[in-house]
Amino acid sequence: MQVSYIGYVTKDIKITSTTNNLSIKLAEDTETLDEVVVVGYGVQKKVNLTGAVASVDFEEQTKSRPITTVSSALAGLSPGLQASSGSAMPGEDNTTLRVRGVGTMNTASPLVIIDGMEGSLNAVNPLDVENISILKDAASCAIYGARAANGVILVTTKTGTRDKISINYSGRISFNSPTRMIKMMSNYADYMELMNESYRNVGKSDDLFDQKYIDLWREKSKDPNGLNENGVPNYIAYPNTDWAEELFSGGVIHDHNLSVSGGSDKIRFLLSAGYQDNEGVVDNTANKRYSMRANIEANPTKWLTVGTRTYASQMDREVGDFSNANNFLRQSTAGTYPYWNGSYGYPECPDERATANNPLYKLARNDGFKRYNRFNTTLFSKIKFFEDLSWDFNFNYNRYIYETRQHGVPAYQTRFSDGVIVDGITPPSQLSTSFDYESNYSYTLENLINYHHTFAQKHDVSALLGYQEFYKNYYKVNAAKKGLIDESLNQFDEATEMTSIGGSTEDYATRSYFGRVNYAYDSRYLFEANFRYDGSSRFHKDHRWGFFPSLSGAWRISEESFMESTRSWLDNLKIRLSWGKLGNSEIGNYEYQSVYGPSRYVFGNALASGLAITAASNELLQWEATTTTNFGIDASLLNNRLTASIDIYHKMTTGILYRPTMEYVLGNHTAPRQNIAEVSNDGIEFSLGWRDRIGKVEYSVSGNFSYNKNKVDKYNGEYTKTWVEDPNNTLTGGKWTDNIGDVSSGGNTPVVEGHMLNEYRYRSVYKGNGKYFNADGSVNPAGGPKGGMIRTEEDMNWVKAMMDAGYKFKPGNSIGKANIYYGDYIYADVNGDGVYGDSDDEEFQGRSKTPKYNFGFQASAAWNGFDISMVWAGAAGFDIYWGPTAGYNAAKTEWGNNIAQRIADDHYFYDPSNPDDPRTNINGKYPRMTYLDGNVQNNASSNRWLYNGDYIKLKNLSLGYTLPQKWVTKVAMQNARIYVSAENLLTITSFEGQDPESATGMGYAPFRSIAIGANITF
């Protein structure tokens, strides 16, 4: 019999036929207090941490979740960590990670350390990962110095256990389907009618599509299986294609992993191999991944430990050019059938634009491969001179090779209704072949001296002193040729005409000295000091070195004698305070030097190739420096069933390395990078967890919340606005002027002092009060349409009256179907000069693309072998700029481009000459439909294209069953578990685009994955 309870050690009791009454006493479980957390160059008890460190039990995540990459599974699991998935395209599903916001204008990604060495998260097989630690404040990161200004993610992989050999198999099959697709028009007759409407809306007198074709399509759609005069089915000859469904067809992922682990007193080992076949949800975008790992540690003597941590992977990707296919998706119409009888379809309607695309045809025009190879090995040794003193030596070698070879594939398009081949097979002489080869290698050498001793049973002292050197070299070459002898002979040497060639090489190196001292008195008073002295080849020798220290302390109040009365319910209460300074050198490798690059120039009335200095250098470049102050409280209550943690921090980055804008008179010269900016981040993080048991049901819930705001404290001077009197302006008497051109980096997401980093700056849609005129009959500038759109004749009369009074409306300028008309937006006169909506009316919007809030929630329960769990993640307080794009989010149309169905269903329409037109919809959500750029008013860049990006996602929902031991032992198993898991199951958001997490209006669709899997241990 097994007796267990939350907060106590599980106890096994043997029951016999003579057993009567039992008295069982459970011992308190101190595992929570003894839990260790991986930190820089070592581990520490969680209760003894003085810095802001979060830990994720990643092995638990991989038991059920269909995870393709490590980074994609981190969303919502830790406070202070923002994990935003990028493209869902296989092999490119790289997640953007940010620790405590963005504090630099350069690379803001955290440093990733895998088993003590720098690496890539996505190079690691998720099934090999045991635990992940996130170092968030400067005190915990300072031991990594110059590389850790954006936080550190420490990955610990699995190892074998002594005196036990286990064979583990994990396999699953995942069925994937695209989510949140943008529905586009698939009824071609309706599409042709709307195109005609948009054409006439800009003042055209005729139609794009003849009514006879509209009627013909409607008639043939009633009998889709009927045959035309050439024996072709109507659904092919008169198609109504849903291109989103055709392009994003769904796919399957096969994932299999096998590991052998174990050991003895002298050795521990883990050997693993993994295979993943991801078909993708789009044709010709599949990805196969092969991985292996060997973690081996041996103790030939009591004083010597040697071993290796080696892993390698190969990824093979298909070469379908989805970036273009995604663009071609909107540049297609329902009047083309995808594929039939070995040929790709062509537009069937004579009035359709010949360039209306077939996205499948575009994807099929390229073949070849993309291959990524990684090899990473660490050789390590540990010599214990005494019980308290040891020397660690680590050597790491990393190699990365990327190669791709692509060549054109002959294909053709047919107008199926009459069998005419319209776009014939490309002759071999026009086909091309190309290759790219990129390689880099690096080595890291480390020497570490560790000391640890406890004096008088209460004074715990440890120290670390280390040296590291790092070198990395890059090399790449590429070339392309045209003109194949035969389509089957596509090797590079078999092409005849060179069209491009290029290549480069570069390198950089660092050298570092670092150390740490820890002191704890009676596990109550905790102190830690770190330093790192870094040198980088990216800086001039006079500014190469930087010193980065940190101090931190903690007080475990719960261990004080005056807290004795709380021991029955308070297990741990600790307050933390830390300060530290970190560096950043994430810039180009040679920016302090004047270097040459390829350039073109005119010689002898012809363009010639040569070398030129195109960027100014700066020998005075110095380290960016990030200083962080952190205050935190950790608490565990009620037998560790309730846990809570809160952190408040201030992070200031000074001397930010950035390129200012340069005057155009300097030509194409790039400005020298300078230490010119400062950015601050202030935030709060909170996490709360509860775990307990009700009867046989064990359950847990936990949540985390983070708030972060950033501000540019220094750049190029303060932004100011000044009212300037203008006697010639009889409407307003002057205007507001500002110095934005002098103090900003330019563009619509500028860097400006006093504002958040890259805050949006656009025109604003006009917001009036709807009163139109003053009591004396004069026009009221503030009385226009409430929502900014001209919807009624009263709205139009106000616009006319404003123009009559001398006001101007940009960019349309005048009243007319091709200018400003019913169903158009007008923009605010921010600078007060009487001109509404010109470039001088751009203003800060108070939002950026960086979320202010990140949050997550996890819950799980288990009963009699059954278990269920869920993971939620979300972000809020940010906007996504998705500019006007025909076919996706704009009411503008273009011949040969599709129209979003939601715009087709709910757009504005009003014809003042025929108010009773059945198409009238003055309350439409979207503006009137207009052809091409015949109307510029609605397509002007403005805050109308800023979408609220707030979202919450159900990242995972899993249901599993662990087979009883009495079953599995009969077939020589130690453990067996089967499960069903759903990834990316639900998204709640108001964003109209495809995925707010990746800030994508339209891209490679995120997919919902339903997986069936098993974990078996022998």
Side-chain angles (χ1 to χ4, degrees):
M1 179 176 69
Q2 189 178 79
V3 182
S4 63
Y5 193 73
I6 298 295
Y8 293 87
V9 177
T10 299
K11 193 169 187 178
D12 292 314
I13 307 294
K14 186 176 182 179
I15 304 297
T16 68
S17 58
T18 60
T19 303
N20 292 316
N21 297 324
L22 290 175
S23 176
I24 302 171
K25 184 176 181 180
L26 298 180
E28 185 176 346
D29 186 1
T30 60
E31 181 181 349
T32 301
L33 297 182
D34 292 334
E35 178 185 352
V36 296
V37 175
V38 178
V39 296
Y41 298 102
V43 295
Q44 289 184 12
K45 283 186 177 182
K46 188 173 183 179
V47 294
N48 288 345
L49 289 175
T50 57
V53 180
S55 182
V56 175
D57 185 354
F58 200 80
E59 184 177 10
E60 189 66 28
Q61 295 295 316
T62 58
K63 286 181 179 179
S64 297
R65 296 181 63 177
I67 298 169
T68 55
T69 60
V70 174
S71 59
S72 65
L74 291 177
L77 299 183
S78 171
L81 175 65
Q82 177 195 344
S84 302
S85 295
S87 170
M89 186 171 178
E92 289 188 5
D93 45 356
N94 49 328
T95 298
T96 299
L97 299 176
R98 296 289 182 265
V99 176
R100 291 186 167 179
V102 178
T104 180
M105 300 171 196
N106 301 300
T107 301
S109 299
L111 172 68
V112 175
I113 301 292
I114 303 168
D115 289 332
M117 294 294 171
E118 185 174 354
S120 168
L121 270 182
N122 293 339
V124 182
N125 183 345
L127 272 296
D128 287 340
V129 177
E130 182 176 50
N131 180 272
I132 293 178
S133 294
I134 299 101
L135 314 186
K136 298 182 288 187
D137 67 337
S140 58
C141 294
I143 198 70
Y144 292 108
R147 301 183 295 164
N150 300 307
V152 181
I153 295 178
L154 302 180
V155 179
T156 303
T157 59
K158 299 174 183 176
T159 58
T161 55
R162 300 189 188 278
D163 302 320
K164 183 180 182 181
I165 295 180
S166 299
I167 300 175
N168 296 277
Y169 167 77
S170 175
R172 69 171 183 266
I173 180 171
S174 306
F175 303 92
N176 306 320
S177 57
T179 63
R180 292 187 54 80
M181 296 299 301
I182 296 177
K183 181 67 175 176
M184 292 185 288
M185 295 193 73
S186 57
N187 185 308
Y188 193 52
D190 289 349
Y191 167 81
M192 289 188 282
E193 283 189 341
L194 281 181
M195 288 299 295
N196 287 343
E197 177 186 313
S198 70
Y199 200 59
R200 289 183 175 271
N201 274 352
V202 294
K204 306 293 185 180
S205 59
D206 54 351
D207 289 328
L208 273 174
F209 292 92
D210 195 300
Q211 185 64 40
K212 68 180 181 182
Y213 295 122
I214 298 175
D215 296 338
L216 181 62
W217 243 263
R218 294 202 187 282
E219 176 189 348
K220 297 299 182 180
S221 296
K222 296 175 183 177
D223 182 21
N225 294 316
L227 303 178
N228 74 351
E229 61 275 14
N230 295 312
V232 179
N234 287 337
Y235 71 89
I236 295 175
Y238 306 96
N240 292 286
T241 302
D242 187 329
W243 278 110
E245 288 189 2
E246 295 294 333
L247 185 62
F248 296 96
S249 55
V252 177
I253 298 177
H254 296 271
D255 207 336
H256 303 278
N257 293 270
L258 184 67
S259 67
V260 180
S261 62
S264 64
D265 290 340
K266 295 292 186 179
I267 191 169
R268 288 196 303 164
F269 67 89
L270 177 136
L271 306 174
S272 71
Y275 168 74
Q276 184 183 99
D277 182 2
N278 186 346
E279 294 180 357
V281 294
V282 177
D283 288 344
N284 205 19
T285 63
N287 177 74
K288 290 184 178 180
R289 176 192 171 101
Y290 313 86
S291 62
M292 62 78 62
R293 172 173 291 276
N295 288 351
I296 303 172
E297 179 182 301
N299 302 98
T301 69
K302 291 184 179 180
W303 54 268
L304 176 63
T305 300
V306 294
T308 182
R309 290 181 288 266
T310 299
Y311 61 94
S313 66
Q314 178 174 306
M315 187 167 65
D316 294 326
R317 291 179 53 196
E318 293 182 335
V319 296
D321 188 358
F322 179 80
S323 60
N324 283 333
N326 184 53
N327 195 39
F328 293 144
L329 178 60
R330 69 180 183 87
Q331 296 173 348
S332 61
T333 68
T336 301
Y337 196 74
Y339 187 82
W340 188 56
N341 283 350
S343 177
Y344 293 92
Y346 186 83
E348 296 288 346
C349 179
D351 283 354
E352 184 57 88
R353 189 176 186 176
T355 56
N357 289 300
N358 183 327
L360 298 187
Y361 173 66
K362 299 296 183 180
L363 273 175
R365 299 296 300 276
N366 211 29
D367 200 3
F369 68 87
K370 293 181 180 180
R371 180 166 295 147
Y372 306 77
N373 287 286
R374 297 178 185 270
F375 175 78
N376 188 296
T377 185
T378 299
L379 304 176
F380 63 89
S381 66
K382 184 183 187 74
I383 297 177
K384 295 187 71 172
F385 299 108
F386 309 105
E387 185 64 29
D388 300 330
L389 183 65
S390 64
W391 168 44
D392 289 79
F393 173 79
N394 303 309
F395 178 79
N396 173 265
Y397 177 78
N398 181 66
R399 179 77 170 178
Y400 168 80
I401 297 174
Y402 162 71
E403 55 181 329
T404 178
R405 189 172 65 81
Q406 301 185 45
H407 57 88
V409 174
Y412 62 96
Q413 286 184 278
T414 302
R415 188 168 57 234
F416 296 131
S417 58
D418 56 13
V420 174
I421 297 178
V422 183
D423 189 356
I425 296 177
T426 305
S429 61
Q430 296 301 310
L431 295 176
S432 61
T433 182
S434 65
F435 77 87
D436 283 90
Y437 179 89
E438 295 181 18
S439 171
N440 68 66
Y441 70 88
S442 65
Y443 75 82
T444 305
L445 185 150
E446 288 180 343
N447 284 279
L448 309 172
I449 299 293
N450 280 283
Y451 174 79
H452 177 262
H453 188 77
T454 301
F455 298 90
Q457 297 183 338
K458 290 188 177 183
H459 301 274
D460 192 79
V461 178
S462 62
L464 165 72
L465 188 64
Y467 166 81
Q468 181 191 78
E469 64 178 55
F470 172 84
Y471 175 78
K472 190 167 189 176
N473 180 282
Y474 304 84
Y475 170 76
K476 63 181 179 180
V477 62
N478 59 81
K481 294 176 77 174
K482 179 182 177 183
L484 301 181
I485 299 172
D486 182 87
E487 63 187 60
S488 63
L489 302 176
N490 49 54
Q491 296 298 317
F492 195 74
D493 285 346
E494 293 157 355
T496 59
E497 178 187 348
M498 181 70 74
T499 56
S500 68
I501 188 169
S504 65
T505 185
E506 55 185 277
D507 63 355
Y508 78 99
T510 63
R511 183 168 291 169
S512 307
Y513 305 89
F514 52 90
R516 175 172 61 214
V517 175
N518 291 86
Y519 172 74
Y521 174 74
D522 200 20
S523 293
R524 278 184 289 169
Y525 311 116
L526 313 169
F527 171 80
E528 181 176 306
N530 293 272
F531 81 89
R532 185 149 177 145
Y533 188 53
D534 280 310
S536 172
S537 64
R538 290 172 171 168
F539 299 110
H540 187 272
K541 62 181 181 179
D542 293 339
H543 308 285
R544 184 155 290 169
W545 292 88
F547 181 71
F548 307 104
S550 76
L551 298 170
S552 61
W555 177 26
R556 290 188 64 198
I557 303 175
S558 56
E559 300 304 298
E560 296 288 357
S561 58
F562 60 78
M563 298 291 287
E564 186 70 33
S565 61
T566 67
R567 300 284 164 81
S568 61
W569 57 272
L570 181 63
D571 303 292
N572 181 50
L573 178 62
K574 178 178 65 177
I575 61 174
R576 297 176 277 107
L577 182 64
S578 68
W579 172 92
K581 183 180 180 182
L582 302 167
N584 189 1
S585 62
E586 290 302 309
I587 58 174
N589 291 325
Y590 310 110
E591 295 193 23
Y592 76 90
Q593 305 176 65
S594 296
V595 295
Y596 288 86
S599 182
R600 304 293 297 274
Y601 65 98
V602 177
F603 183 77
N605 294 322
L607 276 177
S609 297
L611 296 175
I613 297 176
T614 58
S617 62
N618 180 6
E619 291 186 354
L620 302 179
L621 288 178
Q622 300 182 37
W623 294 87
E624 282 186 13
T626 298
T627 304
T628 303
T629 304
N630 190 99
F631 173 77
I633 301 176
D634 301 321
S636 301
L637 302 88
L638 305 177
N639 248 356
N640 294 311
R641 288 178 293 175
L642 178 64
T643 57
S645 180
I646 186 170
D647 281 272
I648 302 170
Y649 62 88
H650 172 74
K651 182 168 70 172
M652 170 67 76
T653 304
T654 59
I656 293 178
L657 295 156
Y658 193 67
R659 294 185 188 275
T661 55
M662 292 184 69
E663 299 294 338
Y664 290 120
V665 294
L666 296 175
N668 63 351
H669 246 56
T670 302
R673 198 180 294 270
Q674 302 174 40
N675 297 92
I676 58 174
E678 296 180 2
V679 173
S680 62
N681 280 264
D682 294 277
I684 185 171
E685 299 163 357
F686 180 71
S687 63
L688 185 67
W690 172 265
R691 64 188 183 104
D692 203 352
R693 174 195 290 267
I694 301 176
K696 293 184 178 181
V697 179
E698 294 185 9
Y699 70 96
S700 67
V701 292
S702 62
N704 60 79
F705 171 84
S706 306
Y707 166 75
N708 177 277
K709 68 173 182 178
N710 66 29
K711 186 177 73 169
V712 179
D713 296 290
K714 178 184 177 183
Y715 177 60
N716 200 26
E718 184 181 357
Y719 171 72
T720 59
K721 294 179 68 174
T722 306
W723 179 260
V724 177
E725 300 282 346
D726 182 3
N728 295 319
N729 188 335
T730 59
L731 295 173
T732 64
K735 65 177 181 180
W736 290 99
T737 61
D738 61 27
N739 60 345
I740 189 70
D742 299 323
V743 300
S744 84
S745 61
N748 293 113
T749 54
V751 178
V752 180
E753 276 185 30
H755 289 265
M756 66 182 70
L757 187 62
N758 300 128
E759 182 179 344
Y760 291 120
R761 192 171 190 271
Y762 286 100
R763 298 179 182 90
S764 294
V765 171
Y766 175 89
K767 303 293 183 183
N769 59 28
K771 295 183 178 179
Y772 304 116
F773 296 95
N774 297 313
D776 61 1
S778 60
V779 66
N780 178 6
K786 293 182 178 179
M789 185 192 292
I790 304 170
R791 295 182 180 273
T792 65
E793 295 191 9
E794 288 81 3
D795 292 340
M796 180 60 78
N797 290 335
W798 175 83
V799 173
K800 291 178 179 178
M802 288 285 288
M803 289 184 177
D804 291 341
Y807 294 95
K808 297 178 181 179
F809 291 87
K810 299 285 185 177
N813 294 308
S814 61
I815 304 297
K817 287 187 174 182
N819 304 99
I820 300 175
Y821 206 61
Y822 292 95
D824 287 349
Y825 279 97
I826 55 176
Y827 305 98
D829 177 20
V830 173
N831 70 341
D833 64 351
V835 180
Y836 287 72
D838 64 4
S839 59
D840 291 334
D841 289 319
E842 291 180 350
E843 63 178 339
F844 289 102
Q845 300 295 324
R847 305 270 281 189
S848 77
K849 65 178 181 180
T850 303
K852 291 182 179 179
Y853 311 96
N854 288 277
F855 41 86
F857 174 79
Q858 303 89 44
S860 64
W863 172 81
N864 279 358
F866 291 95
D867 61 87
I868 186 171
S869 63
M870 64 174 67
V871 177
W872 294 79
F878 72 107
D879 280 356
I880 300 167
Y881 184 80
W882 186 20
T885 307
Y888 288 153
N889 69 331
K892 68 176 180 178
T893 65
E894 186 172 348
W895 194 25
N897 281 25
N898 213 327
I899 300 170
Q901 189 65 54
R902 67 181 185 280
I903 296 176
D905 293 340
D906 193 15
H907 63 276
Y908 179 94
F909 184 86
Y910 179 70
D911 182 357
S913 64
N914 183 17
D916 297 325
D917 190 310
R919 296 174 294 174
T920 297
N921 180 20
I922 64 171
N923 296 313
K925 180 179 180 179
Y926 303 98
R928 67 181 178 127
M929 306 205 59
T930 54
Y931 181 71
L932 283 174
D933 291 323
N935 170 257
V936 297
Q937 192 69 22
N938 288 328
N939 302 318
S941 59
S942 72
N943 64 357
R944 193 167 80 81
W945 307 106
L946 287 177
Y947 295 82
N948 188 316
D950 300 354
Y951 70 90
I952 183 169
K953 286 187 174 184
L954 178 53
K955 283 287 188 177
N956 180 262
L957 178 64
S958 297
L959 176 64
Y961 178 64
T962 301
L963 277 63
Q965 284 290 304
K966 63 182 180 180
W967 293 0
V968 299
T969 53
K970 293 180 180 180
V971 288
M973 294 182 185
Q974 296 182 37
N975 186 67
R977 180 174 179 273
I978 55 176
Y979 63 86
V980 178
S981 182
E983 194 82 2
N984 203 18
L985 193 59
L986 174 68
T987 300
I988 302 172
T989 183
S990 63
F991 179 52
E992 294 185 354
Q994 197 171 67
D995 185 22
E997 183 178 357
S998 59
T1000 302
M1002 186 65 183
Y1004 198 103
F1007 53 83
R1008 179 181 297 112
S1009 184
I1010 308 298
I1012 302 171
N1015 304 317
I1016 301 172
T1017 302
F1018 296 94

